[in-house]
């Protein structure tokens, strides 16, 4: 019946226990495979592959300035991915972090847009807090739809992201447009006190990197050590068992989405109050979607995500470099991201499975 | 032309990208596969069709290339999700990101360029009915999509093929036990879904709005996935849902034409808002979803 010559193809056989070696090797192998495939694509596009590799994967490390830009990019990716991973482990697929990020940026911008003269050290912390609330609020719509109306959270959260992008456009073309901004779709530049303080002088890296690392540590404690985190994971791995144990599914969905929205909103706030200094149309270059890849590539583990966020940030900065020096379209970064996730999903199959070739199968049966 | 005429004449055309993609996703989901990469598959098909039509290859060749290209991309999904038993949600998202990336990459030099659309064909007699007549003047792809809808409905209702696809989605173990290859059926269903998404993208790019712009699919692939839920996995209801979304996306334009003082961004987000609201209404009826839903949807099959 099969269309494939099944007799010659190896089959995946479940391992007795998960392979630690495969767990640790999957991300670097996926990176290597994705790099090779994409280099092939660049050759087809008529670009010099050596120049692209140099610009994309090496240059970000070659100067302190460009590495500090990597750290700057890594912060929002890390923050969003930590929040998403908690939900993904509970099998709550919030893929609307992009929208929650945008709402966080909008909420945070409300203060400098409405009170451009305000001064005081309290402004930027309040903005970050508002941003987190905005992201959580946007995510709570998805949670309500999922828990009370039984609607699929993947579709609702994604649709809300598209709505959020339109809301941002509306504000920037309408009520929040900078009156002295030559009609550009952007808000006023924020005042000094509305900016997150710089952490490393001479760079744009700001205090939000510390917040991000603190959130990562908290995510680790929450998921690996706390009973609440344990309940969420059981809900994801064995929903029926979680039900018998009396773990409330609706509560798990609310918690997952709120944490994800909170983190994404905080990231959005830190972006406008950090490197951008104003609300713009391009506040997010797909961070919300890239963070999904970061979360998976980090094995949905708080520690792994720290590394995958750095890698993704290198790809962003390196992609910008390659655009300038090797004339590579920026869309190539998205192609790389997609193929990286696919390669990882294949590599990670070997954590729980091993390949069995047809001949070996016959021998083991006899 | 008043607003009602405008919507009647344009509704089926606007509905066609939704309809084609949703019919493809319907077949995949009926076989138990949740492919969330539709948006990217549409974008990929769209750029292939646009490039071919722009260089004078003609619409037929454009649609063929879009269907084939997106089917091949969806086979990558099949290899990862079925062959390597990866999480279907993650795999679908990856294919979506990859498809959108490839679309932007290939389409970069075509930004803002235009091609010629397709002529409208009037259905004899029916197109002369007063008021409703404009509903029956459509291009060939719309007519073919309607035929495909009927054919799929017939397949699921009356043929053994339809029954096998449904059996594989409802109870893969039983289907396997009586000798059907679950994997083969699912591979074909995925490839069919990919090809249909490619046609949908092609229609959007070279017929409906024959102009290339990055991100032109604008969430229509996601709405198509939602349509399968709205239609509770039934062909006829999916068709009605697609018509509703065709009308909703025209309502924005009609409202702007009449000079209604509503922010254009609100009108642009109308299809997304309607999706969210309808999804809430339909899903709230848990019995309906349970009754019509596909039992093994999204779950990998292991013998």
């Amino acid at each position: 019946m099969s269309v494939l010559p099944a007799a010659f193809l190896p089959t995946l056989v479940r391992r007795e226990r998960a392979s630690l070696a495969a767990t640790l090797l999957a991300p670097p192998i996926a990176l290597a495979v994705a790099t090779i495939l994409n280099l092939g694509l660049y050759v087809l596009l008529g670009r010099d592959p050596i120049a692209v590799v140099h610009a994309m994967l090496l240059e970000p490390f070659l100067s302190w300035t460009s590495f500090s830009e990597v750290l700057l990019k890594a912060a929002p990716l890390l923050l969003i991915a930590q929040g998403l991973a908690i939900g993904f482990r509970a099998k709550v697929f919030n893929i609307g972090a992009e929208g929650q990020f945008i709402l966080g940026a909008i909420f945070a911008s409300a203060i400098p847009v409405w009170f451009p003269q305000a001064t005081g050290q309290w402004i930027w912390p309040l903005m970050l807090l508002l941003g987190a609330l905005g992201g959580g609020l946007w995510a709570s719509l998805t949670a309500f739809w999922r828990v009370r109306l039984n609607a699929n959270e993947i579709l609702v959260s994604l649709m809300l992201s598209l709505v959020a992008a339109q809301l941002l456009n509306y504000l920037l073309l309408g009520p929040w447009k900078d009156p002295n901004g030559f009609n550009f779709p952007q808000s006023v530049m924020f005042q000094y006190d509305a900016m997150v303080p710089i952490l490393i002088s001479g760079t744009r890296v700001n205090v939000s990197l510390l917040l991000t690392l603190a959130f990562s540590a908290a995510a680790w404690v929450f998921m690996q050590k706390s009973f609440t985190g344990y309940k969420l994971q059981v809900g994801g791995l064995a929903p029926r068992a979680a039900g018998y144990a009396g773990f409330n599914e609706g509560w798990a969905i609310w918690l997952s989405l709120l944490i994800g929205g909170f983190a994404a909103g905080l990231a959005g706030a830190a972006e406008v109050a950090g490197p951008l200094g104003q609300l713009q149309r391009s506040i997010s270059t797909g961070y919300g979607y890239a963070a999904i890849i970061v979360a998976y590539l980090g094995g949905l583990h708080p520690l792994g995500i720290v590394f995958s966020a750095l890698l993704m940030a290198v790809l962003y900065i390196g992609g910008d470099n390659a655009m300038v020096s090797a004339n590579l379209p920026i869309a190539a970064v998205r192609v790389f991201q997609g193929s990286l996730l696919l390669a990882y999903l294949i590599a990670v199959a070997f954590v729980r499975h091993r390949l069995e070739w047809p001949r070996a199968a016959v021998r083991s049966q006899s | 032309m008043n607003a009602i005429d405008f919507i009647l004449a344009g509704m089926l055309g606007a509905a066609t990208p939704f309809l084609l993609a949703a019919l493809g996703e319907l077949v995949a989901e009926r076989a138990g596969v949740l492919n969330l990469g539709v948006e990217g598959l549409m974008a990929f098909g769209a750029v292939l069709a646009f490039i071919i039509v722009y260089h004078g290859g003609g619409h037929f060749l454009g649609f063929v290339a879009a269907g084939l290209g997106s089917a091949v991309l969806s086979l990558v999904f099949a290899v990862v999700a079925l062959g390597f038993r990866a999480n279907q949600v993650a795999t679908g998202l990856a294919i979506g990101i990859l498809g959108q990336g490839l679309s932007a990459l290939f389409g970069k030099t075509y930004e803002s360029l235009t091609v010629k659309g397709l002529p409208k064909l009037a259905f004899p007699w029916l197109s002369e009915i007063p008021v409703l007549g404009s509903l029956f003047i459509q291009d060939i792809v719309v007519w073919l999509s309607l035929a495909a809808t009927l054919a799929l409905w017939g397949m699921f209702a009356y043929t053994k093929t339809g029954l096998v696809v449904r059996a594989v989605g409802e109870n893969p173990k039983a289907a396997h036990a009586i000798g059907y290859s679950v994997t083969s059926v699912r591979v074909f269903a995925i490839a069919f879904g990919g090809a249909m998404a490619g046609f949908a993208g092609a229609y959007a790019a070279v017929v409906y709005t024959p102009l290339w712009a990055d991100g032109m699919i604008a969430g229509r692939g996601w709405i198509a996935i939602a349509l399968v839920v709205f239609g509770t996995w039934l062909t006829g209801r999916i068709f009605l849902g697609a018509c509703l979304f065709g009308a909703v996306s025209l309502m924005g334009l009609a409202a702007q034409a009449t000079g209604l003082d509503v922010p254009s961004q609100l009108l642009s987000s109308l299809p997304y808002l309607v999706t969210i609201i309808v999804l809430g209404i339909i899903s709230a009826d848990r019995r309906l979803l349970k009754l019509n839903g596909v039992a093994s949807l999204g779950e990998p099959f292991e013998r």
Side-chain angles (χ1 to χ4, degrees):
Chain A
M1 276 304 292
S2 174
V3 279
L4 303 166
F8 301 104
L9 283 176
T11 45
L12 282 183
V13 180
R14 218 167 237 286
R15 290 183 198 267
E16 294 281 310
R17 56 183 59 188
S19 154
L20 182 66
T23 312
L24 295 177
L25 283 176
I29 290 177
L31 176 62
V33 171
T35 308
I36 293 168
L37 285 177
N38 280 277
L39 283 182
L41 179 68
Y42 305 150
V43 173
L44 287 180
L45 289 172
R47 303 297 192 280
D48 175 10
I50 310 272
V52 174
V53 168
H54 187 267
M56 231 172 157
L57 298 175
L58 282 178
E59 247 173 54
F61 296 101
L62 291 183
S63 79
W64 171 236
T65 324
S66 57
F67 186 68
S68 73
E69 288 294 304
V70 170
L71 290 179
L72 190 69
K73 270 282 191 249
L77 290 167
L78 179 56
L79 197 52
I80 303 170
Q82 294 287 15
L84 291 183
I86 291 172
F88 290 169
R89 287 179 85 165
K91 292 254 157 65
V92 177
F93 294 106
N94 170 15
I95 61 165
E98 187 81 0
Q100 293 143 21
F101 178 96
I102 292 175
L103 261 286
I106 290 175
F107 267 57
S109 302
I111 297 184
V113 166
W114 285 334
F115 308 103
Q117 310 299 338
T119 52
Q121 274 301 306
W122 50 271
I123 296 181
W124 67 265
L126 184 66
M127 284 167 65
L128 294 187
L129 188 68
L130 272 178
L133 281 178
L137 211 64
W138 204 243
S140 70
L141 290 172
T142 305
F144 181 83
W145 246 252
R146 168 71 204 270
V147 174
R148 294 299 299 273
L149 303 176
N150 190 36
N152 181 310
E153 80 275 17
I154 299 173
L155 295 171
V156 175
S157 62
L158 193 276
M159 286 296 139
L160 282 170
S161 287
L162 300 176
V163 174
Q166 293 295 335
L167 179 64
L168 177 68
N169 277 345
Y170 165 72
L171 288 173
L172 292 178
L173 293 168
W176 283 16
K177 186 164 69 179
D178 180 4
N180 306 317
F182 305 102
N183 233 6
F184 280 111
Q186 54 195 31
S187 76
V188 292
M189 289 301 291
F190 295 173
Q191 66 267 42
Y192 180 76
D193 282 339
M195 305 285 284
V196 182
I198 295 292
L199 182 65
I200 307 170
S201 62
T203 70
R204 301 201 290 162
V205 178
N206 61 43
V207 171
S208 68
L209 182 66
L210 291 183
L211 290 177
T212 303
L213 293 175
F215 188 87
S216 298
W220 183 79
V221 172
F222 179 70
M223 286 315 272
Q224 313 299 123
K225 302 287 168 198
S226 81
F227 184 52
T228 313
Y230 173 75
K231 285 203 279 191
L232 282 181
Q233 291 185 46
V234 173
L237 287 172
R240 282 205 189 156
Y244 292 136
F247 303 163
N248 184 333
E249 196 203 357
W251 170 87
I253 295 166
W254 270 103
L255 192 64
S256 300
L257 275 158
L258 285 179
I259 293 175
F262 181 87
L266 186 58
E271 200 66 13
V272 287
L276 299 178
Q278 67 183 160
L279 192 64
Q280 318 170 336
R281 234 178 194 174
S282 57
I283 46 170
S284 167
T285 35
Y287 288 135
Y289 303 111
I292 299 172
I293 302 175
V294 170
Y296 276 109
L297 210 59
L300 302 183
H301 188 286
L303 195 61
I305 291 170
V306 174
F307 292 102
S308 57
L310 272 174
L311 169 66
M312 191 61 78
V314 167
L315 285 184
Y316 265 109
I317 300 295
D320 280 345
N321 290 341
M323 185 171 68
V324 177
S325 62
N327 192 23
L328 192 72
I330 201 69
V333 172
R334 269 149 85 196
V335 175
F336 200 112
Q337 290 174 345
S339 46
L340 183 59
L341 181 54
L342 284 172
Y344 174 76
L345 290 170
I346 291 176
V348 91
F350 294 96
V351 171
R352 291 187 190 285
H353 300 92
R354 60 193 163 78
L355 272 187
E356 207 167 79
W357 293 86
R359 238 202 223 151
V362 173
R363 218 181 294 140
S364 70
Q365 271 169 13
S366 59
Chain B
M1 198 189 253
N2 61 31
I4 297 201
D5 270 349
F6 175 73
I7 288 176
L8 271 182
M11 182 179 73
L12 284 176
T16 297
F18 296 118
L19 179 63
L20 286 172
L23 290 178
E25 180 70 9
L26 168 69
V27 172
E29 289 198 13
R30 273 289 194 186
V33 181
L34 180 66
N35 183 357
L36 293 180
V38 180
E39 180 86 5
L41 292 167
M42 277 179 76
F44 189 55
V47 80
L48 293 182
F50 191 89
I51 291 174
I52 286 189
V53 173
Y54 184 78
H55 290 293
H59 282 76
F60 180 72
L61 210 61
F63 271 85
V64 169
L68 277 178
S70 296
V72 168
L73 190 56
S74 72
L75 285 177
V76 176
F77 172 90
V79 167
V80 179
L82 303 185
F84 290 92
R85 291 177 206 152
N87 178 329
Q88 291 184 7
V89 172
T91 313
L93 291 175
I95 289 290
I97 294 169
L98 183 63
Q100 284 175 282
L102 288 171
S103 160
L105 194 62
F106 294 162
K108 189 157 189 292
T109 46
Y110 298 88
E111 191 70 31
S112 306
L113 295 179
T114 55
V115 294
K116 233 172 135 302
L118 281 177
K120 306 251 181 202
L121 307 171
F123 202 98
W125 304 306
L126 287 176
S127 57
E128 283 149 34
I129 305 174
V131 186
L132 282 179
S134 50
L135 200 55
F136 297 95
I137 307 172
Q138 305 289 346
D139 57 72
I140 178 87
V141 185
V142 172
W143 295 123
L144 288 175
S145 310
L146 294 178
T149 310
L150 267 176
L152 266 189
W153 172 79
M155 184 189 92
F156 280 124
Y158 294 112
T159 71
K160 191 173 160 192
T161 315
L163 214 58
V164 172
V165 171
R166 285 167 64 181
V168 163
E170 282 309 313
N171 194 337
K173 288 218 160 120
H176 175 72
I178 56 171
Y180 291 107
S181 166
V182 173
T183 308
S184 304
V185 170
R186 288 187 171 175
V187 168
F188 277 119
I190 291 169
F192 178 80
M196 291 295 269
F199 294 148
Y203 186 81
V206 299
V207 184
Y208 186 64
T209 40
L211 168 141
W212 184 255
D214 184 28
M216 68 168 311
I217 301 301
R220 280 182 279 190
W222 288 101
I223 293 179
I225 298 174
L227 269 175
V228 179
V229 182
F230 296 170
T232 58
W233 293 270
L234 296 171
T235 318
R237 292 191 195 170
I238 289 174
F239 171 72
L240 290 180
C243 289
L244 169 75
F245 274 89
V248 167
S249 36
L250 288 179
M251 248 143 66
L253 295 174
Q256 263 176 330
T258 52
L260 207 66
D261 189 24
V262 179
S264 69
Q265 291 85 7
L266 181 64
L267 299 174
S268 302
S269 40
L270 212 54
Y272 314 137
L273 292 171
V274 173
T275 306
I276 294 169
I277 292 165
V278 181
L279 206 54
I281 295 171
I282 302 261
S283 307
D285 189 347
R286 283 164 207 254
R287 254 191 65 235
L288 185 74
L289 284 202
K290 248 206 163 110
L291 222 56
N292 292 310
V294 179
S296 77
L297 188 61
E299 285 169 17
F301 170 68
E302 281 184 68
R303 270 174 247 190

